[in-house]
Amino acid sequence: MPKFYAWPPARSAADVLERGTYALIIGSSIFLVFTGLWNIAYWLPWRFGFVQAHFYAAFVFVGAFLGHVAIKLPVMRQAFRDRGVLRPPARGPRQHARPEPFDEDSSAPLEPDAPTISRRGLIGVVGGASVLMGALWAGQSVGGWTRSTALFAPRGQDPEFPLSQGFQVNQTAEKAKITQDLVGDDWRLEVVGRERLRFSREELLAMPQHTEDIPIQCVEGWVTWQTWTGVRLRDLAIMAGVPDPDELEVKSVQPAGAFDDVVLRGSRVTDPQALLALKVNDEALSLDHGYPARIIVPASLGVHQTKWVGRLTWRPA
Amino acid sequence: MAMFRRLYGRDGPGHPVAMLLTYAITGYAVWAIFQNAEPWTVLLWLGGAIVLHDFVFLPLYTAAYRLAWRVGGVDQDRRRRVIALQHLAVPFMVSLLLLLAALPLIFSLSPGIYRPTTGMTEEPYLERWLAMTGALFVLSGIAYAIRVRRAGRP
């Protein structure tokens, strides 16, 4: 029986307050872990905005946890003083272990059962389970051959549906309702500044090309590093007559889906690594990865690496 | 001071000050969550997590454990039964952990969003989970057999 259910539940105002913080720690930690994992698997069995709720639930957890540590500092200090810092509380085999005597301020259980697992065994099981979880999820971000070990990650791989160009797609062309008419030979990139220019994909490919290794970093917890080739955004700003831009509005031709209109600011767009990418890993972008052209800028979020770009609007400082 | 202790239950100002700060931060955060959601849906989740764990899962696994302990009658070798139980409990726990963490994928709970977003299907996940669960129990069984054999040797 966990100590949480000691009866009577509270003997003083201080106890009531302390137990309230336990409820906050337990509730918020389970909430954070599972809504987070289920959200990235696109199952949303709740009726509130996930992002705000998750963000503020983290404050609930951290606040309640810090408060808990603060009020338990005297208990911790006493325990370390009595028993030493690294000295194990019990020695010898498990079957000789005796339960810790019940004490108001310790976490010793009320009615302990006979011991079944040693402390080392418990730490081994929890640690081993954590390592296994890490190993079964990490491949989606490490990429390469490890992608086949990401057996439970939402962005691993499905042998029957190979990933376009070998790395994950956050939003397929189908979901964004991209059709051949929108991105075929008639597609033109419109660049607006002091001038208003239009370029075909061939004209963009004829400009000076630059190649950069830049990650797509998704808020859903994965990263994928690829090698992108295309035109520097800075060069397009100069052509549009805005050599010292403050912000860039990127408009996608996508008729559906979020983030079709994004504003990037400051060094994100003036950095020499910031590209309008036309190729990835020396191949033309696939439709799912944003053909004919997508934004690839360093130190940005995946959702701001706009695909199927139709118009760039430069605004001077 | 004695009166403060009688009324509040702790000595000194440290405890109430820490509690005040804790509730100020967490109270603000809970209020902020309520601004963007119907409060009951959030309470259902925050409270539901506690209720589900403490009043459903905890009694369930306590009962399962006690039952597993009794099955097979009274055995004089308590140590061997503890080890056997561990070799069942560990793969069970890891399998349940994977099930909870990848629940929507394993049971294909969101095919309408998952497929068009990622370009893949959720189909492989159930098979993978079943295979992983089987592998965990088999490995644990092999480890148990080795342990028992070693212990049995003079």
Side-chain angles (χ1 to χ4, degrees):
Chain A
M1 200 63 192
K3 184 107 185 261
F4 192 71
Y5 294 106
W7 199 262
R11 286 156 304 154
S12 64
D15 277 358
V16 174
L17 291 175
E18 263 188 55
R19 292 192 159 227
T21 64
Y22 301 158
L24 289 171
I25 292 173
I26 297 167
S28 61
S29 55
I30 296 177
F31 175 88
L32 284 170
V33 169
F34 289 104
T35 59
L37 281 167
W38 295 348
N39 180 67
I40 60 170
Y42 306 103
W43 185 45
L44 315 169
W46 47 76
R47 284 164 56 188
F48 46 81
F50 168 79
V51 175
Q52 282 97 345
H54 208 250
F55 179 76
Y56 286 108
F59 280 85
V60 175
F61 175 74
V62 172
F65 181 73
L66 288 180
H68 179 67
V69 169
I71 59 172
K72 290 298 179 193
L73 272 177
V75 179
M76 283 162 67
R77 206 173 47 207
Q78 189 61 43
F80 283 133
R81 199 175 284 159
D82 291 351
R83 302 174 191 188
V85 176
L86 288 174
R87 199 151 43 97
R91 279 184 189 282
R94 186 190 57 241
Q95 55 270 33
H96 295 159
R98 291 287 163 266
E100 198 177 336
F102 177 72
D103 165 22
E104 290 299 342
D105 284 331
S106 83
S107 55
L110 297 171
E111 304 154 33
D113 272 352
T116 51
I117 189 165
S118 64
R119 188 171 64 156
R120 194 174 297 172
L122 180 70
I123 292 172
V125 169
V126 175
S130 306
V131 170
L132 182 70
M133 292 273 287
L136 292 173
W137 263 260
Q140 68 172 349
S141 288
V142 179
W145 65 268
T146 65
R147 202 176 278 288
S148 58
T149 65
L151 294 176
F152 293 89
R155 301 308 181 115
Q157 62 179 6
D158 180 346
E160 290 190 24
F161 294 86
L163 294 166
S164 181
Q165 298 183 303
F167 62 99
Q168 56 267 61
V169 173
N170 185 34
Q171 174 176 237
T172 59
E174 181 199 342
K175 191 181 179 194
K177 300 206 160 51
I178 293 291
T179 60
Q180 209 50 50
D181 299 347
L182 290 168
V183 295
D185 292 340
D186 294 337
W187 174 86
R188 292 290 179 275
L189 175 75
E190 209 178 337
V191 182
V192 184
R194 287 203 172 80
E195 321 267 335
R196 183 175 278 265
L197 309 165
R198 283 163 69 83
F199 300 108
S200 69
R201 197 178 138 87
E202 285 65 40
E203 286 167 324
L204 289 167
L205 281 167
M207 293 176 190
Q209 301 289 301
H210 297 272
T211 298
E212 304 288 350
D213 286 344
I214 287 179
I216 295 179
Q217 304 173 90
C218 186
V219 291
E220 289 173 9
W222 51 262
V223 177
T224 181
W225 286 83
Q226 304 297 335
T227 304
W228 309 92
T229 303
V231 182
R232 267 187 189 151
L233 287 177
R234 211 165 61 172
D235 295 350
L236 290 168
I238 292 166
M239 281 182 233
V242 187
D244 185 20
D246 179 47
E247 62 176 42
L248 167 65
E249 183 184 353
V250 182
K251 183 94 180 72
S252 172
V253 299
Q254 69 188 74
F259 296 100
D260 59 339
D261 195 346
V262 166
V263 174
L264 301 169
R265 310 186 62 120
S267 60
R268 288 242 169 82
V269 287
T270 53
D271 191 282
Q273 285 194 304
L275 297 179
L276 180 75
L278 305 167
K279 294 178 174 180
V280 61
N281 304 326
D282 241 3
E283 283 175 34
L285 292 169
S286 71
L287 201 54
D288 279 341
H289 284 307
Y291 180 89
R294 78 175 297 174
I295 293 292
I296 286 291
V297 302
S300 189
L301 296 173
V303 285
H304 285 176
Q305 315 275 35
T306 310
K307 299 194 276 193
W308 313 293
V309 174
R311 189 171 66 222
L312 299 176
T313 308
W314 294 96
R315 300 203 180 94
Chain B
M1 208 64 227
M3 194 167 106
F4 180 77
R5 187 179 165 88
R6 210 174 57 240
L7 284 176
Y8 183 71
R10 295 286 189 285
D11 290 320
H15 193 279
V17 168
M19 286 291 99
L20 191 71
L21 283 172
T22 303
Y23 280 102
I25 295 170
T26 57
Y28 165 74
V30 169
W31 173 85
I33 295 174
F34 287 173
Q35 297 312 296
N36 292 298
E38 287 173 57
W40 70 268
T41 59
V42 180
L43 285 178
L44 198 71
W45 261 93
L46 280 171
I50 301 175
V51 170
L52 209 64
H53 178 262
D54 287 5
F55 298 102
V56 179
F57 288 122
L58 182 76
L60 267 181
Y61 56 68
T62 309
Y65 186 81
R66 295 246 157 100
L67 191 74
W69 188 248
R70 277 196 196 129
V71 165
V74 183
D75 192 322
Q76 61 277 49
D77 191 356
R78 187 176 180 281
R79 184 175 145 70
R80 183 170 289 192
R81 290 181 71 194
V82 166
I83 294 173
L85 262 183
Q86 284 175 0
H87 281 264
L88 284 175
V90 171
F92 180 79
M93 185 211 86
V94 176
S95 164
L96 193 67
L97 182 69
L98 293 175
L99 176 69
L100 280 175
L103 188 80
L105 301 170
I106 290 169
F107 293 123
S108 293
L109 297 177
S110 47
I113 315 178
Y114 184 83
R115 209 202 56 73
T117 304
T118 66
M120 300 183 289
T121 71
E122 294 166 300
E123 271 160 35
Y125 291 96
L126 178 61
E127 260 169 56
R128 287 177 194 171
W129 179 70
L130 290 173
M132 183 61 73
T133 301
L136 285 168
F137 276 99
V138 167
L139 283 176
S140 181
I142 293 171
Y144 175 69
I146 294 171
R147 254 175 108 171
V148 167
R149 195 165 225 202
R150 262 198 205 149
R153 219 175 275 159

